Each structure stands twice: as C-alpha cells, then as structure tokens.
C-alpha cells in the first residue's frame, strides 16, 4: 500500500496488523480522488480511518488538514506512525473514538469539513446508515463531498438527511463507492 498521487506519491503506508482493518486499495483510492476532484484548501474527515490511507492520500493531494478517526488504539497508533513517516503530523489530528462520539465531539468543537470519507466495516454500514447522515450533516461545509465505501454486493447506502445535489455510484471489484455532493445545508 502506498500514496498514489501528490507530494508524497509512492511513499509506502503501513496498515494495522490483523484482519480488523481493510485498507482501501491503491486503484480504488485513485478512482475516489478522481471523482472527488481538487482538494485545496479543504479540511478532510476520514471516519473509520483504519490505516489512514484515505486521509493521508487527501493530505498528499493538497488538503489543508485531515482529522482521522478510528475507535481502535492500534489503528490510531498506525495512523500516527504513517503521519510521522510522511512528515504530515502538523496537518492532521488522530481521534480515538467510536464514530458517534467522534462526530458529537467534532460538532461541539465547531469543526467543518469540505470532504468526509467514510469506510466503515461493510457489515456495520446497513445498521448505521440511517443515523450517519444526520450526525454528519452539521459538520459539512456548503458544497461538501461525502465518499462512502461499501460492499459492492450491497445496494449503495442511502444516507438520510443529506441534501444531495449530485451522486455517483461506482463499483471497483468488491468495493462499491458512492460520492455524494452536498447542496445547501439550510
């Protein structure tokens, strides 16, 4: 696994040991960022970060800041190691918390993101999709982009309460990707 493009192109990334983390493949990450478009000077939220590959790729491609969230201390340590190896620790924050607590804390802190990247465990997504949209919405800047990875065998997730102005659903092997562009957030 490596950074695909940007200032850190080709740099290797480490993933947490074990099967609990499923890092996004290089070719899927490249496709995602082609769909998302330019990131400068966007703040990025990488929720269910695992290895941090999505957030680190965003930083390499010009994102101004990334918040990488994972409930696993092992994953957080791996992300922190990747940040240090790339010299990106000053442009990122690692949060060790489950997604609900993390989003509540981000709201309380007044954080706003132009891109939110969600790569939850595939088996978890159907159970949380209904509550994920409302929890995420207050953190999204007008015109934000939400990227959701899911099992290609499952239908694309409907994230309730996100005022989508556009949506693209793609399949890359076993990985489904939904890119949702947010309209006005009232």
């Amino acid at each position: 696994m490596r950074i695909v493009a940007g200032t850190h192109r080709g740099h290797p990334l480490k993933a947490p040991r074990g099967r609990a983390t499923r890092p996004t493949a290089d070719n899927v990450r490249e496709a995602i960022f082609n769909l998302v478009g330019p990131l400068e000077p966007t703040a990025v939220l990488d929720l269910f970060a695992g290895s941090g590959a999505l957030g680190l790729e965003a930083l390499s491609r010009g994102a101004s800041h990334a918040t990488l969230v994972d409930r696993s201390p092992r994953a957080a340590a791996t992300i922190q190691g990747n940040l240090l190896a790339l010299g990106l620790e000053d442009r990122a924050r690692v949060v060790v918390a489950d997604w609900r607590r993390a989003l509540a804390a981000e709201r309380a802190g007044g954080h706003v993101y132009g891109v939110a990247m969600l790569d939850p465990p595939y088996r978890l997504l159907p159970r949380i999709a209904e509550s994920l949209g409302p929890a995420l919405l207050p953190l999204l800047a007008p015109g934000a982009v939400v990227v959701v990875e899911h099992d290609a065998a499952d239908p694309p997730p409907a994230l309730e309460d996100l005022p989508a102005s556009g949506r693209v659903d793609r399949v890359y092997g076993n990985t489904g990707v939904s890119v949702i562009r947010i309209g006005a957030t009232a």
Side-chain angles (χ1 to χ4, degrees):
M1 186 172 58
R2 63 186 173 82
I3 298 287
V4 176
T7 57
H8 293 82
R9 180 181 181 180
H11 285 252
L13 296 174
K14 294 185 178 178
R17 295 181 116 163
R19 300 185 58 124
T21 301
R22 173 194 29 78
T24 302
D26 293 356
N27 66 319
V28 176
R29 249 182 301 121
E30 184 169 18
I32 286 170
F33 284 96
N34 286 339
L35 291 169
V36 169
L39 293 173
E40 296 174 7
T42 305
V44 173
L45 174 65
D46 184 354
L47 194 58
F48 309 98
S51 66
L54 290 171
L56 295 166
E57 185 77 36
L59 289 170
S60 180
R61 291 173 180 249
S64 59
H65 183 270
T67 299
L68 300 104
V69 177
D70 201 285
R71 71 179 186 168
S72 164
R74 178 181 282 176
T78 300
I79 295 166
Q80 196 64 48
N82 282 328
L83 285 166
L84 290 169
L86 295 168
L88 293 171
E89 66 276 6
D90 61 331
R91 292 178 43 211
R93 185 166 48 96
V94 180
V95 175
V96 183
D98 79 332
W99 71 272
R100 289 178 197 271
R101 285 192 185 115
L103 293 182
E106 293 301 295
R107 278 191 312 275
H111 298 281
V112 177
Y113 297 94
V115 176
M117 310 193 99
L118 317 175
D119 186 11
Y122 290 168
R123 70 188 184 291
L124 178 64
L125 186 56
R127 294 194 312 257
I128 66 171
E130 187 175 300
S131 53
L132 194 52
L136 188 60
L137 185 60
L139 300 173
L140 300 176
V145 176
V146 177
V147 178
V148 185
E149 283 190 52
H150 55 90
D151 190 321
D154 293 337
L159 296 182
E160 300 298 322
D161 295 338
L162 290 185
S165 64
R167 180 181 179 124
V168 175
D169 295 304
R170 298 278 193 271
V171 173
Y172 306 97
N174 294 329
T175 304
V177 174
S178 296
V179 178
I180 304 163
R181 297 204 179 271
I182 304 302
T185 56

